[in-house]
Amino acid sequence: MKKTSTVGKSNRTVMVLLILGLSTIVFPLYMTVVIAFKQPSEMTNSISGILSLPKVWSLNNFKEAMEVTDFWNSLKNSLLISVLTVGLSILIHSLMGYALGRNKSSKFYNFIYLFIVSGMFVPFAILMMPLAKQTAEMGLANWGGVILLYVVFYMPMNIMLYSGYLTNIPLALEEAARVDGASTWRTYWEIIFPIMKPMHATVAVITALAVWNDVMTPLIIMAGSSENTLPLAQLNFQSQFGTNYNLAFASYLLSLIPILVFYVICQKQILNGVVNGAVK
């Protein structure tokens, strides 16, 4: 009887924690949606005025936000940078993760692995100004330079995930392929690469989220360029519309939709990839 009451108390504690955790997600989302549909005249200093539902549900804020941010052009640039970065990251980082993960017994490869992974601890603020100067001198102060930097920035994390995931793939598969006469290159592309599909999805989502929401890198590298990503275009609301949060939140919702759809498509593979990738 005592054991049953203990289990019941534990379940109630878990439910309370889940509700608290859910509220940290639902409440900001509710505020974003409500403010995006409200008119500036409905925004008051009182808490009830901020939390209340809009009197009229109108899409005018979204229409005006799209005009201010040049939405379709900015969306095109963000999609281009995100898609190319994710594609290059999966191809390059999976190859490097495979090469380093299968040769960790070698001191040389293990040193290279640790050296690359240690890049996660280098703050972007330290690299910001040297990178801005170097990319400008190399003619890479554009979206191409931003993509190149993203591929390098997310290399440490992605290689660590790929190398960890490889520990779940038995060497017997590669040995059997070699017995059948397959080269290392063919073995990787026809056996290992397809098996790592869950980790590809995980890397794609993690990289896409980071790239999609990043402001600092495009702001530093593409300074003076007429091309804007969505986060850069949304900076307009901090100056020209500094007090009009309705347009800003409408723009945030619009930029949320593409990455949310991408996450929903890949979510089935994410949990398996993260769990297995964390196993050393």
Side-chain angles (χ1 to χ4, degrees):
M1 194 69 163
K2 186 176 180 180
K3 183 178 180 180
T4 304
S5 61
T6 303
V7 173
K9 186 177 180 180
S10 176
N11 290 336
R12 286 194 297 272
T13 303
V14 171
M15 287 298 297
V16 171
L17 291 175
L18 287 175
I19 293 172
L20 290 174
L22 183 62
S23 64
T24 61
I25 299 173
V26 174
F27 180 72
L29 183 60
Y30 168 80
M31 291 296 299
T32 303
V33 174
V34 167
I35 294 176
F37 280 94
K38 281 185 176 181
Q39 297 303 313
S41 58
E42 298 180 62
M43 298 289 291
T44 63
N45 294 328
S46 63
I47 297 179
S48 60
I50 297 175
L51 296 178
S52 62
L53 293 174
K55 296 178 181 178
V56 178
W57 294 84
S58 173
L59 297 177
N60 291 335
N61 287 338
F62 294 89
K63 182 180 179 180
E64 189 173 348
M66 292 176 69
E67 294 175 356
V68 172
T69 59
D70 190 11
F71 179 76
W72 295 113
N73 185 52
S74 301
L75 177 64
K76 179 198 70 176
N77 293 332
S78 288
L79 284 175
L80 176 67
I81 292 174
S82 298
V83 170
L84 290 179
T85 299
V86 168
L88 289 173
S89 295
I90 290 175
L91 291 175
I92 298 173
H93 299 165
S94 62
L95 276 169
M96 295 180 66
Y98 174 69
L100 296 173
R102 285 298 192 229
N103 294 281
K104 280 188 179 180
S105 57
S106 167
K107 291 184 178 180
F108 173 75
Y109 282 98
N110 192 49
F111 171 77
I112 296 297
Y113 170 79
L114 294 175
F115 179 78
I116 293 176
V117 171
S118 65
M120 290 190 295
F121 303 101
V122 180
F124 177 72
I126 296 178
L127 306 173
M128 185 169 57
M129 297 311 297
L131 285 176
K133 182 178 180 181
Q134 189 173 5
T135 51
E137 291 177 350
M138 297 175 63
L140 293 174
N142 47 43
W143 59 264
V146 172
I147 293 173
L148 179 62
L149 290 178
Y150 280 146
V151 173
V152 175
F153 289 161
Y154 304 122
M155 183 186 299
M157 173 64 75
N158 293 343
I159 286 181
M160 185 179 70
L161 291 173
Y162 276 119
S163 298
Y165 192 81
L166 278 169
T167 60
N168 299 281
I169 302 176
L171 281 170
L173 293 174
E174 298 173 52
E175 293 170 353
R178 290 193 182 94
V179 170
D180 292 336
S183 63
T184 302
W185 187 255
R186 184 178 178 185
T187 299
Y188 173 76
W189 286 113
E190 295 187 7
I191 297 177
I192 304 301
F193 190 81
I195 291 176
M196 291 197 297
K197 183 180 177 181
M199 184 49 63
H200 296 326
T202 303
V203 167
V205 171
I206 293 175
T207 304
L209 281 171
V211 171
W212 189 264
N213 296 316
D214 184 43
V215 178
M216 190 59 66
T217 305
L219 180 63
I220 297 299
I221 303 303
M222 298 170 61
S225 173
S226 59
E227 298 295 327
N228 281 333
T229 61
L230 274 175
L232 278 182
Q234 289 168 350
L235 291 177
N236 292 329
F237 298 114
Q238 296 183 5
S239 54
Q240 188 177 359
F241 300 101
T243 57
N244 193 337
Y245 295 103
N246 307 92
L247 297 186
F249 277 64
S251 179
Y252 299 154
L253 277 181
L254 288 172
S255 65
L256 174 66
I257 294 173
I259 198 67
L260 184 62
V261 171
F262 179 66
Y263 176 81
V264 170
I265 294 173
C266 299
Q267 66 175 338
K268 292 182 180 179
Q269 304 289 340
I270 294 172
L271 183 59
N272 186 28
V274 170
V275 172
N276 290 332
V279 177
K280 299 293 180 183

